[in-house]
Amino acid sequence: MALETISDGRGTTVTPPRTPVVPRRRRRAWGVTAAVSAIAAVLNLPLFFALLTSFKSDADIARSALRVPDTLTLEHYANAMGQAGYDFPRYFLNSTLISIGTVVTILVICVPGAYAMGRLGLGRGHLLKGIAALRLIPVIFFAVPFFLLFSRTGLYDTIPGMVTANTFISLPLGTLLVMSAIREVPHEIEEAAKLDGCSDYRIVARIVLPLLAPTLAAVAVLVFITAWSDYLFAVILTSSEATPVTVGAANFVTSTGIRWGDISATTVLSVLPPLVFALFAQRYLVRGLSAGAIKG
Amino acid sequence: MSQLVRPNRASRSRWVLGAPLLIFLAAVVLFPLGYGLFVAGQDRSLLNPDPSWIGLDNIAAVVQDSSFWRAVRFTVIYTVVVTSVELILGFLLALLFNRRFPGKRLLLSLTILPVMIAPALMGIMFRLLLNQDIGLVPSVLSVFGWEISLFGTDAVVPMLLLLDVLQWTPFAFLLFYAGMQSVPDELYEAASIDGSGYWRSALAITVPLLLPVAVVTAFLRGVDAFRTFDVVYVLTGGGPGDYTTNVSIYIYKAFSSGNFGIAAAASVVVCLILLPVVPVVVRRLADPARS
C-alpha cells in the first residue's frame, strides 16, 4: 500500500485514511525525506564545497577544510569578474553566445528537417537512422577533421565555429525529440489545412510549430545545457578568442599558483546559468530527457 | 494523406524543408567523416606539412600499440561498471521517490542537479573536494586516520568510477522516475487488493514494466560513458602513466602531440570496435514503434 500515490507532493492523497495506520505512515514518509535528503546532500557535495570555498578567505582555505571560517569574503568573485586580470567575463560571454547560437541553429535545422522526414517522406527512414547512429560515434572522432578543416576555413577559434561543432553534438538529440513530437501531431489537422489549400510551409509555420512548443522548449533547455557543457571541442577548436567557461575555468587550475578561492568562484559562476535555466524549466527538462529515452 | 497531395508539390517542399538539415549533414558530418578516413591513411602530422598516402600503416601502428589496447580495456571496464551501478542505484532511488513524502518537489530538483553541471566544471570541483591539502575528503579521511593518496595507482580507478556514479546516477534515476510515473496506479491498487506487499509489487509490476526504460537508459549511459573525456582529463590527464587513459584521451594525446594521422586512425579503429552495437542502438532510438 505504499505505492498507491505518485503525485508530486501537491496532489491530494488517494488512500482512504485508516486511523490506526496514519501515524506510522507519516513517520515513514518523513523517513523517506531524511533518506532522500542525505542522498541529495552527497550528490551535491562537490558544489556545496566549491560554494563554501568561494566565500572563504585565502587564509581560511589554506587551513583545514573542516574548520569553520573566521570571515566570509566576496573577494574571489570580484577577482573572477575581472579584478585579477582574468578574462573570465569574456569566457562567460563566449559560452552564452555559443549556447544560444547552438539552440537557434538546432531549431532552424531540426524542425523543418524532422517535418520533412516525418511527414513528407524525406530519406524514407534511413536518414533518421543515420542521424541516430551519430549518437554512437565518439565525438573525438571528429576532433582531427574538424581541427584541420576549421583551421583552413577560418572557423578555428571563432564563435560560429563553436556553434557549428556544438550543433553537430546536439543534432541527434534535437532531431529525435522533434521527430517523436511530430509523430504525435494528429494527421487530421494537417489534412484539413491541406484541403483548405494551405502549403506545406504554412502548415509547418502556423499549425505544427505551435503544437510543438513544449517539445521545442525541452529541446532548447537540453541543447543549451549540452552546449554549455562542451569541453572537448572547446579544447580542440579554440585558443583564446572563442574560449568558453569550461576551458577557461579549467585554465586557472593549471596556470601558475593554484588560487582555489578564485577557481571556486569562477566555477560556481560557470555552473549557474544552466542550473537557473534548468530549474525554471525543469518540467521541460524531465519531459525532454524522458521523451528522448522512452518515446524516441 | 498522400492522396491529397499532388506528388510534385510534396516532393518539392520535402527538399526545401529538409535543405538545412541535408546541407548541414553533408558539410559538417559526411565531409569531415570522409576527410577523417582520408587523414587516417596519411602520415600527416604537425611537423609534416606535405603528407603522403601511406595506406593502412597508421591503422597497423595503432592496432600494434599495447597502450591503445590498455586504453580500450580501461574504457570497456569503466563503461560496464558505471553503467550497471548507475542503473541499479538509479532504479532504487526512483523506487524511493515513487511515493508521497514531505519536500519531494525540492528534493527532486536537488537530486537531478548534477546532471546539469558541465562534466569539466564538475571535474574542477572534484579536484577541489579531493585536494590533498585543502580538500574536504582527505581532511575527513585523516580524521579517521586514513592517509591515502586518492590519485595514486591504487585508488585512482575506483575513485573515477565513484565520481562518474556520483554525477550520472541522477540521470538514470530521472529516466526511471519518469517511467514509473507512467505506470497506471490501478495496477498497484489491484495488486495490493490481492495482498501483494510493497516489494512484491515492485518486483512483479515495476521491474517488468520498466525494462524498456532500463534498456534505453543503459544504451544512453553506455554510449556516454564509453566516450567520457572531460572529467577524467581534468582530474588525471590520463595518468599516472597511462593508468586512466581511455580511448578518448588516447586519441586526444595523439592529436595534441601533432600526430594527426595516428589520431584519425585510432578513431577509425574505435568506430570499428563499436560497429556491432550500431544496429541495435539505431533500432531503439529511431524506431519507437518497435522498442
Side-chain angles (χ1 to χ4, degrees):
Chain A
M1 283 300 282
L3 267 173
E4 75 277 64
T5 51
I6 47 173
S7 66
D8 54 6
R10 278 195 177 175
T12 48
T13 176
V14 182
T15 340
R18 278 172 297 167
T19 352
V21 193
V22 169
R24 216 186 78 202
R25 289 175 54 86
R26 190 166 298 159
R27 214 183 316 142
R28 202 196 278 166
W30 278 105
V32 173
T33 305
V36 171
S37 305
I39 293 165
V42 171
L43 290 172
N44 289 294
L45 195 61
L47 184 60
F48 287 144
F49 190 60
L51 197 61
L52 183 66
T53 307
S54 69
F55 289 112
K56 285 203 253 181
S57 68
D58 282 326
D60 276 324
I61 293 172
R63 289 190 207 117
S64 168
L66 296 174
R67 223 172 136 271
V68 179
D70 299 332
T71 51
L72 296 178
T73 171
L74 286 172
E75 181 197 339
H76 301 304
Y77 286 94
N79 285 346
M81 296 313 282
Q83 275 194 12
Y86 295 154
D87 222 355
F88 184 72
R90 167 114 186 225
Y91 301 152
F92 200 86
L93 179 67
N94 285 343
S95 276
T96 310
L97 292 175
I98 292 167
S99 303
I100 292 174
T102 306
V103 169
V104 172
T105 315
I106 280 286
L107 292 179
V108 167
I109 290 178
C110 289
V111 173
Y115 188 82
M117 285 192 291
R119 286 293 206 252
L120 305 173
L122 181 73
R124 295 199 182 85
H126 301 298
L127 186 59
L128 183 66
K129 283 186 183 149
I131 294 171
L134 278 184
R135 183 79 172 70
L136 258 181
I137 301 180
V139 174
I140 190 91
F141 186 99
F142 285 81
V144 174
F146 275 13
F147 173 76
L148 296 173
L149 293 171
F150 279 28
S151 301
R152 196 170 294 177
T153 52
L155 281 172
Y156 179 76
D157 203 18
T158 62
I159 301 289
M162 285 301 288
V163 169
T164 307
N166 278 294
T167 303
F168 163 76
I169 296 180
S170 289
L171 193 71
L173 176 84
T175 312
L176 292 172
L177 283 178
V178 177
M179 198 73 186
S180 67
I182 283 178
R183 284 199 184 105
E184 281 172 14
V185 175
H187 275 287
E188 292 76 18
I189 302 179
E190 290 158 66
E191 283 170 29
K194 274 199 178 120
L195 281 177
D196 288 346
C198 247
S199 71
D200 287 330
Y201 313 112
R202 249 182 100 85
I203 291 174
V204 172
R206 293 291 168 82
I207 298 172
V208 176
L209 210 54
L211 288 173
L212 290 186
T215 300
L216 299 188
V219 171
V221 176
L222 284 171
V223 170
F224 185 91
I225 295 174
T226 309
W228 191 280
S229 299
D230 167 63
Y231 177 72
L232 184 53
F233 277 140
V235 168
I236 289 165
L237 300 175
T238 69
S239 59
S240 58
E241 296 294 311
T243 304
V245 288
T246 41
V247 169
N251 272 346
F252 302 141
V253 174
T254 49
S255 63
T256 52
I258 304 180
R259 298 177 55 102
W260 280 111
D262 295 352
I263 292 163
S264 302
T266 52
T267 308
V268 168
L269 289 175
S270 303
V271 300
L272 226 47
L275 284 190
V276 171
F277 198 19
L279 286 181
F280 276 113
Q282 185 171 316
R283 200 154 52 98
Y284 298 117
L285 180 85
V286 174
R287 184 203 301 257
L289 281 173
S290 51
I294 294 156
K295 289 178 202 140
Chain B
M1 182 176 98
S2 52
Q3 285 173 329
L4 299 168
V5 185
R6 276 173 289 138
N8 57 348
R9 200 185 91 174
S11 64
R12 212 181 59 209
S13 57
R14 172 203 301 171
W15 294 111
V16 173
L17 288 170
L21 179 67
L22 293 172
I23 293 170
F24 187 86
L25 284 175
V28 184
V29 180
L30 287 180
F31 182 64
L33 205 62
Y35 193 65
L37 288 172
F38 175 67
V39 173
Q42 282 186 325
D43 57 351
R44 187 189 280 262
S45 72
L46 212 54
L47 303 172
N48 184 2
D50 190 24
S52 53
W53 180 256
I54 54 168
L56 294 175
D57 287 7
N58 284 331
I59 305 263
V62 169
V63 172
Q64 284 163 12
D65 182 6
S66 63
S67 68
F68 173 75
W69 292 109
R70 276 202 299 281
V72 171
R73 190 170 154 265
F74 175 67
T75 310
V76 170
I77 293 173
Y78 185 97
T79 305
V80 171
V81 171
V82 300
T83 305
S84 20
V85 172
E86 285 158 18
L87 275 184
I88 294 167
L89 293 183
F91 179 77
L92 291 177
L93 191 53
L95 268 187
L96 191 60
F97 251 93
N98 200 13
R99 68 184 86 198
R100 282 164 51 81
F101 58 86
K104 179 169 179 171
R105 189 175 282 261
L106 174 70
L107 286 168
L108 180 67
S109 300
L110 279 176
T111 304
I112 61 175
L113 209 74
V115 175
M116 301 154 203
I117 294 179
L121 298 173
M122 197 63 141
I124 296 175
M125 295 193 286
F126 283 145
R127 275 188 69 157
L128 173 68
L129 191 68
L130 303 173
N131 185 285
Q132 206 66 50
D133 301 319
I134 64 164
L136 185 63
V137 171
S139 306
V140 172
L141 288 181
S142 73
V143 167
F144 292 101
W146 290 354
E147 300 284 350
I148 54 165
S149 167
L150 292 168
F151 292 90
T153 46
D154 291 334
V156 69
V157 173
M159 181 194 76
L160 288 178
L161 297 174
L162 186 69
L163 298 183
D164 193 283
V165 169
L166 213 52
Q167 181 165 20
W168 296 110
T169 295
F171 176 80
F173 153 73
L174 187 58
L175 296 188
F176 279 124
Y177 180 66
M180 283 179 189
Q181 306 251 286
S182 62
V183 177
D185 290 358
E186 291 77 26
L187 283 179
Y188 295 114
E189 279 159 25
S192 80
I193 287 167
D194 289 347
S196 166
Y198 173 78
W199 286 106
R200 215 192 124 93
S201 292
L203 263 179
I205 301 173
T206 319
V207 172
L209 281 176
L210 289 190
L211 213 54
V213 181
V215 171
V216 177
T217 310
F219 275 131
L220 291 176
R221 266 318 291 149
V223 167
D224 283 345
F226 192 89
R227 61 186 189 188
T228 302
F229 176 78
D230 311 7
V231 178
V232 181
Y233 189 73
V234 168
L235 276 167
T236 70
D242 61 1
Y243 220 75
T244 58
T245 297
N246 60 25
V247 289
S248 291
I249 294 178
Y250 179 91
I251 296 169
Y252 179 75
K253 278 180 180 168
F255 165 82
S256 60
S257 56
N259 294 318
F260 300 140
I262 295 285
S267 308
V268 173
V269 177
V270 171
C271 285
L272 290 177
I273 295 172
L274 282 176
L275 210 56
V277 286
V278 171
V280 190
V281 176
V282 167
R283 211 179 309 135
R284 286 280 170 188
L285 288 179
D287 197 352
R290 250 184 285 172
S291 61

